[in-house]
């Protein structure tokens, strides 16, 4: 057996918070290796990066998710005992339910809702001197996804509930007040959503046929039992919260348009494929998910390295999307790199890799791509706006990260 390069530090948990998105890549470069081991939260952890590592990580025979997600992340971002923590038959069954909501007609309905919300937002913004784009986009997405999900939403609660959902996302790499805001957001949202599931089950509320609310309210486990109302609420939130999270990409997309005005023209005059390249480059280039984790199912060796049973393994998402062996000049924003892209499930992994059904690859990848495209169509074809001087800098040690100013726009005018 070859020994896995080891970090000297007794525990690297603080270094994760300090180095953030670059934690794994930096150390791989230092060790001259795609693999190293360290201690995180006092447990031995193997970190891996690059395409071969992605292929290994998404081999369903090798890893399980049980016990891989730290409690603080379950209590903010993901919810406890949700699909992300399931394995094998139970995961497969639940993932099929999630993917059944991702058909073209369903996604088109969601995009039509989003388009209606963009239209309404532009009219509102016209009345104001300036808007904080990032926060406004969260409300657009939240209204659109609740309508799609069949979740009733009173106009007076939109602002408050959107903040709760955004807080869950904003908490994932945080300690202190940001973490506490995320926990509060989750508690409030789970109670709200559990109440709605219970109302549907008791007949007080009708969930429109085939909507996610309807699907989750009646979904049964393999033993024929419905999900406990809290669990159904958590999984419904697992559709709504990440849709609100697309606001991070949409804001980065708006920043990219601002910093690459030639691309604004190309999107306005192109035949549509440029939009696909642009969105893939936004998802590759800008930081969102830093890494994902799993535990070794049973001992195996890979390239001569031993992976002992139950060891935590982290796959480097950000570093693989910026790996110079896979991407020419990875730190440049160049959508044209996707011109002859044939697709590859193990190279472009902003939302995980491998297979949707047998693995944990993001169920909402198509929604993410389409919702970002809708936003870009509005930004380039339906509105004019000014972008004043502001601080666009985003820190790679904050997870998740965002331009400091949250992207302010002024003098919004619809294009007739
Ligand atoms: C899983 C990222 C949007 C639903 C994941 C994973 C990542 C991810 C990294 C885990 C992959 C793994 O551990 O192997 C993102 C990003 C998004 C996004 C960056 C956009 C900003 C969405 C949307 C939805 C969604 C819009 C649903 C509407 C899910 C679900 C899972 C998941 C249900 C769990 C899949 C499973 O465990 O099998 N996502 N996601 N995500 N995502 Fe997303």
């Amino acid at each position: 057996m070859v020994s896995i390069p080891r970090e000297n530090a007794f525990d690297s948990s603080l270094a994760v918070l300090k180095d953030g998105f670059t934690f794994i890549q930096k150390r791989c470069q230092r060790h001259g290796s795609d693999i190293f081991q360290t201690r995180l939260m006092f447990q031995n952890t193997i970190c891996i990066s690059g395409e071969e590592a992605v292929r290994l990580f998404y081999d369903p025979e090798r890893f399980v998710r049980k016990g891989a997600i730290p409690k603080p992340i379950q209590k903010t971002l993901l919810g406890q005992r949700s699909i992300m923590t399931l394995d094998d038959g139970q995961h497969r069954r639940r993932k099929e339910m999630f993917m059944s909501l991702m058909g073209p007609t369903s996604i088109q309905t969601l995009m039509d809702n989003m388009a209606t919300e963009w239209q309404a937002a532009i009219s509102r913004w016209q009345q104001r001197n300036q808007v904080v784009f990032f926060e406004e986009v969260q409300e657009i997405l939240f209204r659109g996804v609740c309508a799609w999900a069949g979740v009733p939403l009173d106009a007076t609660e939109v602002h408050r509930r959107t903040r709760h959902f955004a807080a869950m996302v904003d908490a994932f790499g945080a300690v202190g007040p940001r973490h506490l805001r995320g926990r509060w957001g989750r508690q409030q949202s789970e109670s709200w959503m559990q109440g709605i599931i219970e109302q549907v089950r008791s007949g007080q509320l009708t969930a429109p046929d085939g909507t996610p609310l309807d699907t989750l309210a009646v979904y049964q486990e393999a033993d024929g039992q419905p999900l406990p109302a809290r669990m159904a609420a958590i999984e419904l939130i697992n559709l709504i919260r990440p849709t609100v999270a697309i606001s991070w990409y949409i804001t980065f997309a708006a920043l990219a348009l601002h910093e690459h005005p030639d691309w604004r023209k190309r999107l306005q005059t192109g035949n549509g494929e440029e939009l696909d390249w642009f969105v893939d480059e936004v998802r590759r280039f800008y930081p969102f998910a830093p890494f994902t984790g799993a535990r070794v199912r049973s001992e195996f060796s890979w390239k001569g390295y031993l992976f002992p049973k139950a060891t935590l393994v982290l796959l480097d998402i950000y570093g693989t999307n910026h790996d110079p062996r896979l991407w020419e000049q990875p730190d440049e924003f160049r959508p044209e790199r996707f011109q002859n892209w044939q697709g590859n499930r193990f190279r472009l992994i902003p939302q995980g890799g491998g297979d949707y059904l047998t693995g944990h690859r993001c169920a909402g990848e198509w929604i993410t791509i389409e919702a970002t495209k809708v936003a870009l169509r509005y930004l380039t074809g339906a509105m004019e706006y000014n972008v004043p001087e502001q601080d666009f800098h985003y820190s790679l040690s904050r997870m998740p990260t965002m331009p400091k100013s949250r992207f302010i726009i002024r003098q919004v005018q619809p294009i007739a």
Side-chain angles (χ1 to χ4, degrees):
M1 276 307 144
V2 193
S3 65
I4 301 178
R6 177 176 276 287
E7 280 290 286
N8 285 331
F10 171 68
D11 190 277
S12 299
S13 305
L14 285 178
V16 171
L17 293 179
K18 184 169 162 281
D19 286 339
F21 287 93
T22 59
F23 172 79
I24 299 180
Q25 198 184 33
K26 245 187 193 169
R27 282 157 185 79
C28 282
Q29 281 166 356
R30 195 193 298 152
H31 292 291
S33 164
D34 276 347
I35 179 167
F36 67 91
Q37 56 185 321
T38 184
R39 280 166 71 85
L40 286 180
M41 290 184 296
F42 307 111
Q43 49 183 324
N44 194 41
T45 305
I46 297 175
C47 300
I48 52 177
S49 188
E51 182 176 352
E52 285 179 84
V54 181
R55 287 181 188 275
L56 170 72
F57 188 84
Y58 284 103
D59 175 348
E61 303 301 311
R62 298 292 194 198
F63 296 99
V64 290
R65 295 300 173 107
K66 188 171 191 284
I69 302 176
K71 279 278 176 252
I73 296 198
Q74 293 193 36
K75 287 185 174 167
T76 52
L77 183 71
L78 299 180
Q80 301 194 69
R81 296 185 295 280
S82 74
I83 181 163
M84 288 85 170
T85 67
L86 302 181
D87 293 302
D88 304 322
Q90 209 189 0
H91 171 261
R92 173 72 186 232
R93 191 180 165 81
R94 208 165 297 172
K95 192 68 173 277
E96 277 171 3
M97 179 268 291
F98 271 95
M99 298 314 291
S100 75
L101 300 166
M102 303 297 159
T105 316
S106 173
I107 293 184
Q108 190 53 52
T109 306
L110 176 56
M111 295 310 131
D112 291 346
N113 294 347
M114 303 266 181
T116 308
E117 296 302 336
W118 273 97
Q119 207 75 51
I122 293 172
S123 308
R124 285 197 302 275
W125 298 344
Q126 222 186 323
Q127 320 295 326
R128 289 160 57 183
N129 179 34
Q130 69 172 37
V131 296
V132 181
F133 184 73
F134 177 55
E135 285 163 14
E136 296 287 325
V137 172
Q138 287 172 349
E139 288 199 16
I140 292 177
L141 297 171
F142 186 63
R143 288 173 196 261
V145 72
C146 283
W148 172 75
V151 170
L153 185 63
D154 195 90
T156 57
E157 53 181 1
V158 172
H159 184 72
R160 182 171 58 96
R161 297 227 181 265
T162 308
R163 298 278 76 78
H164 291 159
F165 276 77
M168 289 186 247
V169 182
D170 200 38
F172 77 70
V175 287
R178 189 147 62 90
H179 172 76
L180 294 176
R181 275 197 296 278
R183 281 176 87 127
W184 171 252
R186 173 157 288 283
Q187 282 158 14
Q188 295 297 303
S189 308
E190 283 187 9
S191 303
W192 175 49
M193 217 49 94
Q194 181 178 341
I196 292 175
I197 294 278
E198 282 165 352
Q199 284 179 36
V200 172
R201 286 182 176 170
S202 69
Q204 279 170 276
L205 182 72
T206 309
D209 263 1
T211 55
L213 174 58
D214 173 42
T215 304
L216 273 151
V218 301
Y219 174 78
Q220 293 175 349
E221 296 275 60
D223 60 5
Q225 290 301 310
L227 285 178
R230 192 68 164 197
M231 195 68 247
I234 288 172
E235 298 296 31
L236 194 50
I237 290 172
N238 274 336
L239 290 163
I240 298 175
R241 183 208 66 252
T243 303
V244 173
I246 305 171
S247 56
W248 268 259
Y249 279 151
I250 293 176
T251 305
F252 279 129
L255 175 64
L257 275 184
H258 177 65
E259 292 186 336
H260 305 273
D262 50 320
W263 271 96
R264 174 181 291 279
K265 283 217 178 64
R266 287 184 77 170
L267 296 187
Q268 280 164 339
T269 54
N271 63 12
E273 33 170 35
E274 288 87 350
L275 202 53
D276 291 313
W277 312 340
F278 195 88
V279 172
D280 275 348
E281 183 67 343
V282 166
R283 296 189 310 130
R284 182 199 72 82
F285 180 80
Y286 290 105
F288 198 170
F291 40 75
T292 181
R295 284 190 189 273
V296 175
R297 187 188 283 271
S298 45
E299 182 179 292
F300 67 88
S301 71
W302 177 67
K303 296 182 167 194
Y305 299 115
L306 183 72
F307 284 63
K309 182 176 171 155
T311 307
L312 182 63
V313 175
L314 296 186
L315 173 71
D316 185 14
I317 289 186
Y318 181 77
T320 303
N321 284 337
H322 288 256
D323 186 332
R325 294 167 300 180
L326 305 179
W327 311 100
E328 206 180 302
Q329 293 168 308
D331 296 325
E332 284 182 17
F333 183 85
R334 292 172 45 184
E336 63 272 26
R337 71 172 81 244
F338 285 102
Q339 186 157 11
N340 294 313
W341 173 250
Q342 302 296 325
N344 180 321
R345 295 179 301 143
F346 304 100
R347 284 187 172 205
L348 178 68
I349 56 159
Q351 297 175 245
D355 230 48
Y356 292 103
L357 282 181
T358 58
H360 287 264
R361 189 186 187 116
C362 176
E365 195 161 12
W366 305 320
I367 288 182
T368 307
I369 293 170
E370 292 309 316
T372 310
K373 282 162 68 173
V374 168
L376 281 163
R377 284 197 200 100
Y378 276 91
L379 284 168
T380 57
M383 61 191 270
E384 284 176 339
Y385 54 95
N386 289 327
V387 181
E389 286 271 316
Q390 56 192 289
D391 189 350
F392 295 124
H393 175 259
Y394 54 92
S395 156
L396 286 179
S397 39
R398 189 193 195 280
M399 298 180 290
T401 190
M402 177 50 41
K404 240 191 176 128
S405 62
R406 307 192 151 215
F407 207 73
I408 293 166
I409 57 172
R410 282 194 183 147
Q411 285 124 11
V412 174
Q413 288 296 326
I415 299 175

